[in-house]
Amino acid sequence: MFECGDDDFMARGRNLDELMEIAKMHSEKQHGMKISNEEAKAKIKEV
């Protein structure tokens, strides 16, 4: 699960790669920030 603490956005995915892409896309589109795979992975937690 990926949660953005800045705007309460939350997403679930089928696997880590899918969630990393969602996190990167959200960060860029909503916050104008490009993040690395490592940064995206750090924001993902298993539920």
Side-chain angles (χ1 to χ4, degrees):
M1 178 172 70
F2 166 72
E3 278 188 282
C4 178
D6 294 334
D7 61 7
D8 296 326
F9 176 80
M10 180 176 46
R12 292 179 186 221
R14 289 173 267 186
N15 56 49
L16 181 60
D17 290 334
E18 182 179 58
L19 277 173
M20 284 195 304
E21 287 305 312
I22 291 169
K24 290 169 65 175
M25 191 173 11
H26 174 77
S27 293
E28 186 170 351
K29 290 188 178 202
Q30 296 299 317
H31 305 293
M33 298 170 32
K34 289 191 176 194
I35 62 173
S36 68
N37 284 345
E38 292 80 27
E39 291 171 309
K41 189 175 180 179
K43 295 176 182 274
I44 294 170
K45 60 183 170 184
E46 191 173 335
V47 292

Coordinates of all heavy atoms in Angstrom, one line a residue:
M1 N 0.8 -1.2 0.0 CA 0.0 0.0 0.0 C 0.9 1.2 0.0 O 1.9 1.3 0.7 CB -0.9 0.0 1.2 CG -1.8 1.2 1.3 SD -3.0 1.1 2.6 CE -2.0 1.3 4.1
F2 N 0.5 2.2 -0.8 CA 1.2 3.5 -0.8 C 0.3 4.6 -0.2 O -0.9 4.7 -0.6 CB 1.6 3.9 -2.3 CG 2.0 5.3 -2.4 CD1 3.2 5.7 -1.9 CD2 1.2 6.2 -3.1 CE1 3.6 7.1 -2.1 CE2 1.5 7.5 -3.2 CZ 2.8 8.0 -2.8
E3 N 0.8 5.3 0.7 CA 0.1 6.4 1.3 C 0.9 7.7 1.2 O 2.1 7.7 1.5 CB -0.2 6.2 2.8 CG -1.4 5.3 3.0 CD -1.7 5.3 4.5 OE1 -1.0 4.5 5.2 OE2 -2.7 5.9 4.9
C4 N 0.2 8.8 0.7 CA 0.9 10.1 0.7 C 0.3 10.9 1.9 O -0.8 11.2 2.0 CB 0.5 10.8 -0.6 SG 1.2 12.4 -0.7
G5 N 1.2 11.3 2.8 CA 0.9 12.0 3.9 C 0.5 13.5 3.7 O -0.1 14.1 4.5
D6 N 0.9 14.0 2.5 CA 0.6 15.4 2.2 C -0.8 15.6 1.8 O -1.4 16.7 2.0 CB 1.5 15.8 1.0 CG 3.0 15.9 1.4 OD1 3.3 16.0 2.6 OD2 3.8 15.7 0.5
D7 N -1.5 14.6 1.1 CA -2.9 14.9 0.7 C -3.8 13.7 0.8 O -4.8 13.6 0.2 CB -2.8 15.3 -0.8 CG -2.2 14.2 -1.7 OD1 -2.0 13.1 -1.3 OD2 -2.1 14.5 -2.9
D8 N -3.4 12.8 1.7 CA -4.3 11.6 2.0 C -4.6 10.7 0.8 O -5.6 10.0 0.8 CB -5.6 12.1 2.7 CG -5.4 12.7 4.0 OD1 -4.4 12.3 4.7 OD2 -6.1 13.7 4.4
F9 N -3.7 10.7 -0.2 CA -3.8 9.8 -1.3 C -3.4 8.4 -0.8 O -2.4 8.3 -0.2 CB -3.0 10.3 -2.5 CG -3.0 9.3 -3.6 CD1 -4.0 9.3 -4.5 CD2 -1.9 8.4 -3.8 CE1 -4.0 8.4 -5.6 CE2 -1.9 7.6 -4.9 CZ -3.0 7.6 -5.8
M10 N -4.1 7.4 -1.2 CA -3.8 6.0 -0.9 C -4.0 5.1 -2.1 O -5.0 5.3 -2.8 CB -4.6 5.5 0.3 CG -4.2 4.1 0.7 SD -5.1 3.5 2.2 CE -6.8 3.9 1.9
A11 N -3.1 4.2 -2.3 CA -3.3 3.2 -3.4 C -2.8 1.8 -3.0 O -1.9 1.7 -2.2 CB -2.5 3.7 -4.6
R12 N -3.4 0.9 -3.6 CA -3.0 -0.5 -3.4 C -2.7 -1.1 -4.8 O -3.2 -0.7 -5.8 CB -4.1 -1.4 -2.8 CG -4.4 -1.0 -1.4 CD -5.5 -1.8 -0.8 NE -5.8 -1.3 0.5 CZ -6.1 -2.1 1.6 NH1 -6.1 -3.4 1.4 NH2 -6.4 -1.5 2.7
G13 N -1.8 -2.0 -4.8 CA -1.3 -2.6 -6.1 C -1.2 -4.1 -6.0 O -1.2 -4.7 -4.9
R14 N -1.0 -4.7 -7.1 CA -0.8 -6.2 -7.1 C 0.6 -6.6 -6.7 O 0.8 -7.7 -6.3 CB -1.1 -6.7 -8.5 CG -2.6 -6.6 -8.9 CD -2.8 -7.0 -10.3 NE -2.8 -5.7 -11.0 CZ -3.1 -5.5 -12.2 NH1 -3.4 -6.5 -13.0 NH2 -3.1 -4.3 -12.8
N15 N 1.6 -5.7 -7.0 CA 3.0 -6.0 -6.6 C 3.8 -4.8 -6.4 O 3.3 -3.6 -6.6 CB 3.6 -6.9 -7.7 CG 3.5 -6.2 -9.1 OD1 3.9 -5.0 -9.2 ND2 3.1 -6.9 -10.1
L16 N 5.0 -4.9 -5.9 CA 5.8 -3.8 -5.6 C 6.1 -2.9 -6.8 O 6.1 -1.7 -6.7 CB 7.2 -4.3 -5.0 CG 8.1 -3.2 -4.5 CD1 7.6 -2.3 -3.5 CD2 9.4 -3.9 -4.0
D17 N 6.4 -3.5 -7.9 CA 6.7 -2.7 -9.1 C 5.5 -1.8 -9.5 O 5.7 -0.6 -9.8 CB 7.0 -3.6 -10.3 CG 8.4 -4.2 -10.1 OD1 9.2 -3.7 -9.4 OD2 8.6 -5.3 -10.7
E18 N 4.3 -2.3 -9.4 CA 3.1 -1.5 -9.8 C 3.0 -0.3 -8.8 O 2.7 0.8 -9.2 CB 1.9 -2.4 -9.7 CG 0.6 -1.7 -10.1 CD -0.6 -2.6 -10.1 OE1 -0.9 -3.2 -9.0 OE2 -1.3 -2.7 -11.1
L19 N 3.2 -0.6 -7.5 CA 3.0 0.4 -6.5 C 4.1 1.5 -6.6 O 3.9 2.7 -6.4 CB 3.0 -0.2 -5.1 CG 1.7 -0.7 -4.6 CD1 1.9 -1.4 -3.3 CD2 0.7 0.4 -4.5
M20 N 5.3 1.1 -7.0 CA 6.4 2.1 -7.2 C 6.0 3.0 -8.3 O 6.3 4.2 -8.2 CB 7.7 1.4 -7.4 CG 8.3 0.8 -6.2 SD 10.1 0.4 -6.3 CE 10.1 -0.8 -7.6
E21 N 5.5 2.5 -9.4 CA 5.1 3.3 -10.5 C 4.0 4.3 -10.1 O 4.0 5.5 -10.5 CB 4.7 2.5 -11.7 CG 5.8 1.8 -12.4 CD 6.9 2.8 -12.8 OE1 6.6 3.9 -13.4 OE2 8.1 2.6 -12.6
I22 N 3.0 3.8 -9.3 CA 1.9 4.7 -8.8 C 2.5 5.8 -7.9 O 2.1 6.9 -8.1 CB 0.9 3.8 -8.1 CG1 0.1 2.9 -9.0 CG2 -0.1 4.7 -7.3 CD1 -0.8 1.9 -8.4
A23 N 3.4 5.4 -7.0 CA 3.9 6.4 -6.1 C 4.7 7.5 -6.9 O 4.6 8.7 -6.6 CB 4.9 5.7 -5.1
K24 N 5.5 7.0 -7.9 CA 6.3 8.0 -8.7 C 5.4 8.9 -9.5 O 5.6 10.1 -9.6 CB 7.2 7.2 -9.6 CG 8.4 6.6 -8.8 CD 9.2 5.6 -9.7 CE 9.9 6.3 -10.8 NZ 10.8 5.4 -11.5
M25 N 4.3 8.3 -10.1 CA 3.4 9.1 -10.9 C 2.6 10.1 -10.0 O 2.5 11.3 -10.4 CB 2.4 8.2 -11.6 CG 1.6 8.8 -12.6 SD 0.5 7.7 -13.7 CE 0.5 6.2 -12.9
H26 N 2.2 9.7 -8.9 CA 1.5 10.6 -8.0 C 2.4 11.7 -7.5 O 2.0 12.9 -7.6 CB 1.0 9.8 -6.7 CG 0.4 10.7 -5.7 ND1 -0.9 11.3 -5.8 CD2 0.9 11.2 -4.5 CE1 -1.1 12.0 -4.8 NE2 -0.1 12.0 -4.0
S27 N 3.6 11.4 -7.2 CA 4.5 12.5 -6.7 C 4.8 13.5 -7.8 O 4.8 14.7 -7.5 CB 5.9 11.8 -6.3 OG 5.7 11.0 -5.1
E28 N 4.9 13.0 -9.0 CA 5.2 14.0 -10.1 C 4.0 14.8 -10.5 O 4.1 16.0 -10.6 CB 5.7 13.2 -11.3 CG 6.2 14.1 -12.4 CD 6.9 13.4 -13.6 OE1 7.2 12.2 -13.4 OE2 7.1 14.1 -14.6
K29 N 2.8 14.1 -10.6 CA 1.6 14.8 -11.1 C 1.0 15.7 -10.0 O 0.6 16.8 -10.3 CB 0.6 13.9 -11.6 CG 1.0 13.2 -12.9 CD -0.1 12.4 -13.5 CE 0.3 11.8 -14.8 NZ -0.7 11.5 -15.7
Q30 N 1.0 15.3 -8.8 CA 0.3 16.1 -7.7 C 1.2 17.0 -7.0 O 0.8 18.0 -6.5 CB -0.3 15.1 -6.7 CG -1.4 14.3 -7.3 CD -2.6 15.1 -7.8 OE1 -3.0 16.0 -7.2 NE2 -3.1 14.7 -9.0
H31 N 2.5 16.7 -7.0 CA 3.4 17.5 -6.2 C 4.6 18.1 -7.0 O 5.4 18.8 -6.4 CB 4.0 16.7 -5.0 CG 2.9 16.1 -4.1 ND1 2.0 16.9 -3.4 CD2 2.5 14.8 -4.0 CE1 1.2 16.1 -2.7 NE2 1.4 14.8 -3.1
G32 N 4.7 17.8 -8.2 CA 5.8 18.3 -9.1 C 7.1 17.8 -8.7 O 8.1 18.4 -9.0
M33 N 7.2 16.6 -8.1 CA 8.5 16.0 -7.6 C 8.7 14.7 -8.3 O 7.9 13.9 -8.4 CB 8.4 15.8 -6.1 CG 8.2 17.0 -5.2 SD 7.8 16.6 -3.5 CE 8.7 15.1 -3.2
K34 N 9.9 14.6 -8.8 CA 10.3 13.3 -9.4 C 11.1 12.5 -8.3 O 12.0 13.1 -7.7 CB 11.2 13.5 -10.6 CG 10.5 14.0 -11.8 CD 11.3 13.9 -13.0 CE 10.5 14.3 -14.2 NZ 11.1 14.0 -15.5
I35 N 10.7 11.3 -8.0 CA 11.3 10.5 -7.0 C 11.9 9.3 -7.6 O 11.4 8.8 -8.6 CB 10.4 10.2 -5.8 CG1 9.2 9.3 -6.3 CG2 9.9 11.4 -5.1 CD1 8.3 8.8 -5.1
S36 N 12.9 8.7 -7.0 CA 13.6 7.5 -7.5 C 12.8 6.3 -7.0 O 11.9 6.3 -6.2 CB 15.0 7.4 -6.9 OG 14.9 7.2 -5.5
N37 N 13.2 5.1 -7.6 CA 12.5 3.9 -7.2 C 12.8 3.6 -5.7 O 11.9 3.1 -5.0 CB 13.1 2.7 -8.0 CG 12.5 2.6 -9.4 OD1 11.5 3.3 -9.7 ND2 13.2 1.9 -10.3
E38 N 14.0 4.0 -5.2 CA 14.3 3.7 -3.8 C 13.4 4.6 -2.9 O 12.9 4.2 -1.9 CB 15.8 4.0 -3.5 CG 16.7 3.0 -4.1 CD 17.0 3.3 -5.6 OE1 16.8 4.5 -6.1 OE2 17.3 2.3 -6.3
E39 N 13.2 5.9 -3.3 CA 12.3 6.8 -2.5 C 10.9 6.3 -2.6 O 10.2 6.3 -1.5 CB 12.4 8.2 -3.1 CG 13.7 8.9 -2.8 CD 13.9 10.2 -3.6 OE1 13.6 10.2 -4.8 OE2 14.2 11.2 -2.9
A40 N 10.4 5.8 -3.7 CA 9.1 5.3 -3.8 C 8.9 4.1 -3.0 O 7.9 3.9 -2.2 CB 8.7 5.0 -5.3
K41 N 9.9 3.2 -3.0 CA 9.8 1.9 -2.2 C 9.8 2.2 -0.7 O 9.1 1.5 0.0 CB 11.1 1.1 -2.6 CG 11.0 -0.3 -2.0 CD 12.2 -1.1 -2.5 CE 12.1 -2.5 -1.9 NZ 13.2 -3.4 -2.4
A42 N 10.5 3.3 -0.3 CA 10.5 3.6 1.1 C 9.1 4.1 1.6 O 8.8 4.0 2.8 CB 11.5 4.7 1.4
K43 N 8.2 4.5 0.7 CA 6.9 5.0 1.1 C 5.8 3.9 1.0 O 4.7 4.2 1.3 CB 6.5 6.2 0.2 CG 7.4 7.4 0.3 CD 7.1 8.5 -0.7 CE 8.0 9.6 -0.5 NZ 7.6 10.6 0.5
I44 N 6.2 2.7 0.6 CA 5.3 1.6 0.5 C 5.4 0.7 1.7 O 6.5 0.4 2.1 CB 5.6 0.8 -0.8 CG1 5.4 1.8 -2.0 CG2 4.8 -0.4 -0.9 CD1 5.9 1.2 -3.4
K45 N 4.2 0.3 2.1 CA 4.2 -0.7 3.2 C 3.3 -1.9 2.9 O 2.3 -1.7 2.2 CB 3.8 0.0 4.6 CG 2.5 0.6 4.6 CD 2.3 1.3 5.9 CE 1.0 2.1 5.8 NZ 0.8 2.9 7.1
E46 N 3.7 -3.0 3.4 CA 2.9 -4.2 3.2 C 1.7 -4.3 4.1 O 1.9 -4.0 5.3 CB 3.8 -5.5 3.4 CG 3.1 -6.7 2.9 CD 4.1 -7.9 2.9 OE1 5.3 -7.7 2.8 OE2 3.6 -9.0 3.0
V47 N 0.6 -4.6 3.6 CA -0.6 -4.7 4.5 C -1.2 -6.1 4.4 O -1.0 -6.8 3.5 CB -1.7 -3.7 4.2 CG1 -1.2 -2.3 4.6 CG2 -2.1 -3.7 2.8

